[in-house]
Amino acid sequence: MQNPIVIIGGGVMGSALAYWLTRLEPGRPVIVIERDPTYEHASSALSAASIRQQFSTAVNIRISQASIAFLRHAADELGIDDERPDILLREHGYLYLADALGAGQLRRAHTVQKACGADVALMDPAALTGRFGWLHTADLSLGSLGRSGEGWFDGYTLLMAFARKARRQGARYVNEEVRALAIDGHRVTDVILADGTRIACSHVVNAAGPWARQVAALAGVDLPVFARRRTVYVISCPAAMAPFPLLIDTTGFWIRPDGAKFIAGLAPDDDAAEQPLEPDYAAFESRLWPALAHRIPAFESARLERAWAGYFEMNSFDHNALLGPPPALGNFLFMNGFSGHGMQQAPVIGRALAELILLGRFHTLDLSELLFTRIAENRPMLEAQVIG
Ligand SMILES: Cc1cc2nc3c(=O)[nH]c(=O)nc-3n(C[C@H](O)[C@H](O)[C@H](O)COP(=O)(O)OP(=O)(O)OC[C@H]3O[C@@H](n4cnc5c(N)ncnc54)[C@H](O)[C@@H]3O)c2cc1C
């Protein structure tokens, strides 16, 4: 009997990987170690779960194209018997806004997106006013709208669907914390749990989200991934505004519909790592609300209903996924550092990591540019379009 592949963390990344491993090689033993099956603080349970094609790097656009294709058929892919998960995918687009300063970046990204075949269109202020009458456009130079393949979905349902299907296909979930890794030469030999259990493994995967840095440190690896708190504000506004895509303002705030309400957020002034997961209510009054009311005058009468906070797993090297093993440990693989775009990438990254483990190479989509080894080579894959 082969030793199992052990995945540390059962959030959307770890569960997507467990799903793909057990689907691509039925019978291969897979164990997911998750210390909190309620996912109270996990990013996957606190996510805004939106998907866009509008990245600045071709590799991220290709991931999104493959991801949206998966999400459109998630009910077929992840259904069990008559139970078909409805991830409530809504393809209402992203609308990036730019003033005179930002227009150049939007045009550069647009060129990359078009070259990859993304369904995006640039709009001048008159066209923006014509389509989105509720928008203040006087200080805008340009907008970029995703016409298909962009929108939002229920991330928690996707997480649960991956986990349930992975279990059905034979993955075993263990409710424990990983405390140590035993290493022999260039291999991790055992994963050691808080209760002292040792699990001999063929491979270990770090899918610990915002806590990935601590898990990497168990093997002496310095992973530049930090837990950065982000607040999501739930807002009600009596005015009827449609169509309403996910909007990204020149000031950096984002907002999108969420049922009959809206959710919104913005990057904090104080971005120290690992702040307690309490919402930053003060920033709503001092920064978000004034910017919102400027861009969408109907939000003058908006009301903050509630808020929650979660961690972005921010990769400080280049704001992109860090995949695969570090140079010195061939069977310890990372799937970390998604910097706010991990939920939408999980279906594709899960498959890519499964291929890397089972075949020793990427097969469906070549993600070599995102390998962890780029850090040692000092070859950043900078993503310019990072939200929040
Ligand atoms: C407010 C917010 C908004 C977001 N919006 C979007 C968005 O619109 N679109 C998008 O694509 N992405 C978005 N993201 C990012 C996305 O949610 C994350 O990239 C994704 O959920 C990361 O999944 P994960 O499985 O890596 O991490 P997590 O979901 O955090 O899972 C990691 C798991 O590892 C477990 N763990 C950690 N250490 C150990 C250990 N030692 N032993 C055992 N278990 C351990 C934890 O308990 C946790 O359950 C957002 C994130 C936040 C916080």
Side-chain angles (χ1 to χ4, degrees):
M1 176 86 170
Q2 254 172 327
N3 283 338
I5 299 162
V6 177
I7 302 170
I8 306 173
V12 74
M13 281 298 161
S15 293
L17 173 60
Y19 161 76
W20 281 112
L21 285 168
T22 48
R23 179 177 155 181
L24 296 176
E25 196 173 313
R28 180 81 182 241
V30 174
I31 298 180
V32 180
I33 314 287
E34 171 52 63
R35 66 183 172 197
D36 177 16
T38 73
Y39 297 106
E40 186 183 355
H41 301 299
S43 302
S44 304
L46 300 166
S47 181
S50 306
I51 175 163
R52 60 188 161 117
Q53 308 293 318
Q54 295 185 64
F55 286 96
S56 67
T57 47
V59 67
N60 278 332
I61 299 165
R62 295 211 174 88
I63 292 173
S64 286
Q65 288 169 330
S67 237
I68 192 77
F70 182 94
L71 294 177
R72 284 173 180 153
H73 300 287
D76 303 323
E77 292 275 354
L78 302 176
I80 298 178
D81 305 328
D82 289 342
E83 241 183 83
R84 291 165 53 80
D86 184 358
I87 63 161
L88 300 170
L89 178 64
R90 300 283 177 267
E91 289 191 45
H92 295 318
Y94 269 56
L95 175 64
Y96 273 81
L97 300 176
D99 53 19
L101 265 180
Q105 169 53 34
L106 218 51
R107 284 187 203 285
R108 279 193 294 282
H110 181 78
T111 305
V112 180
Q113 291 155 14
K114 290 303 272 187
C116 292
D119 187 13
V120 289
L122 293 178
M123 300 172 82
D124 64 18
L128 288 169
T129 304
R131 182 150 178 164
F132 307 107
W134 40 267
L135 195 65
H136 175 69
T137 59
D139 55 347
L140 296 178
S141 288
L142 199 62
S144 174
L145 179 67
R147 294 186 294 204
S148 64
E150 296 190 328
W152 48 88
F153 54 96
D154 183 338
Y156 189 71
T157 299
L158 181 68
L159 159 63
M160 287 296 132
F162 270 129
R164 215 173 294 140
K165 187 81 181 213
R167 277 196 189 93
R168 169 59 70 99
Q169 292 173 166
R172 190 155 73 85
Y173 277 62
V174 173
N175 176 200
E176 256 301 347
E177 182 167 54
V178 173
R179 284 280 173 82
L181 299 172
I183 294 166
D184 185 10
H186 295 296
R187 294 185 59 78
V188 178
T189 56
D190 301 83
V191 175
I192 300 156
L193 308 185
D195 66 1
T197 307
R198 288 177 85 98
I199 304 174
C201 56
S202 73
H203 299 77
V204 187
V205 180
N206 182 349
W211 302 276
R213 185 171 170 77
Q214 289 89 319
V215 168
L218 299 178
V221 178
D222 184 16
L223 184 70
V225 171
F226 299 88
R228 307 277 184 201
R229 183 180 67 188
R230 293 294 179 269
T231 300
V232 178
Y233 303 92
V234 181
I235 302 165
S236 59
C237 179
M241 292 172 278
F244 201 118
L246 190 155
L247 180 152
I248 294 145
D249 188 48
T250 53
T251 56
F253 81 72
W254 60 268
I255 183 166
R256 72 158 169 86
D258 192 46
K261 300 191 169 66
F262 294 86
I263 58 173
L266 79 174
D269 278 338
D270 173 8
D271 207 10
E274 290 178 41
Q275 298 192 57
L277 282 183
E278 285 150 19
D280 181 357
Y281 289 104
F284 179 81
E285 293 297 331
S286 63
R287 296 176 57 223
L288 181 57
W289 185 78
L292 260 175
H294 170 78
R295 185 58 62 214
I296 310 167
F299 273 81
E300 287 278 0
S301 53
R303 206 175 68 191
L304 176 63
E305 298 278 344
R306 63 189 182 87
W308 76 82
Y311 291 125
F312 271 16
E313 70 287 31
M314 204 61 107
N315 161 5
S316 63
F317 180 67
D318 61 6
H319 295 143
N320 258 321
L322 291 162
L323 306 180
L329 283 171
N331 70 337
F332 184 31
L333 290 88
F334 297 148
M335 51 189 323
N336 305 117
F338 299 95
S339 306
H341 46 266
M343 176 59 74
Q344 64 198 281
Q345 297 193 330
V348 174
I349 300 293
R351 181 168 194 147
L353 257 280
E355 290 172 356
L356 206 52
I357 292 169
L358 300 175
L359 309 173
R361 62 186 164 80
F362 295 120
H363 174 68
T364 313
L365 196 59
D366 182 4
L367 300 184
S368 314
E369 289 166 287
L370 297 175
L371 284 171
F372 175 85
T373 41
R374 74 182 185 278
I375 293 187
E377 295 157 7
N378 196 21
R379 202 171 29 80
M381 262 294 300
L382 273 174
E383 173 53 59
Q385 313 248 109
V386 173
I387 300 172

